[in-house]
Amino acid sequence: MIELYLEHPRTLRRFRASPAGSHLDAFALELHASGFGWQMGGQHLRSAVHVGHWASSRGIAVEALDDDVITAFVEHLPRCRCSGV
């Protein structure tokens, strides 16, 4: 259901192929149920893809995300040089 927030076919394919891809439809449905609009919902999906790529680059499965991993990701953000996320 990421189509609720994203429409470009290339972006849809890229997001679905990302480490977080298998979780994005359920996340999009939760965002929609919580009343997130098109722009903010899309931004949250982009953030989910970013954290998925970041975690994967460190050998951390998306399913293993916990508070410590998210804290490390937040610490990464000010110096982020990730490309294409």
Side-chain angles (χ1 to χ4, degrees):
M1 295 306 337
I2 62 176
E3 293 83 2
L4 292 167
Y5 298 105
L6 304 165
E7 57 187 23
H8 194 280
R10 190 172 73 207
T11 302
L12 290 166
R13 283 191 303 274
R14 186 170 55 89
F15 277 33
R16 289 193 188 287
S18 75
S22 65
H23 302 280
L24 295 178
D25 282 322
F27 185 42
L29 286 174
E30 287 294 323
L31 292 170
H32 184 70
S34 296
F36 282 87
W38 184 80
Q39 186 174 15
M40 191 54 74
Q43 186 58 47
H44 283 305
L45 289 169
R46 286 178 189 80
S47 295
V49 170
H50 185 182
V51 73
H53 280 295
W54 176 88
S56 178
S57 74
R58 285 154 180 76
I60 303 167
V62 171
E63 295 79 12
L65 295 178
D66 60 17
D67 289 342
D68 292 335
V69 174
I70 296 300
T71 297
F73 174 72
V74 170
E75 291 170 357
H76 146 86
L77 290 173
R79 59 187 184 285
C80 177
R81 299 291 181 259
C82 296
S83 63
V85 291

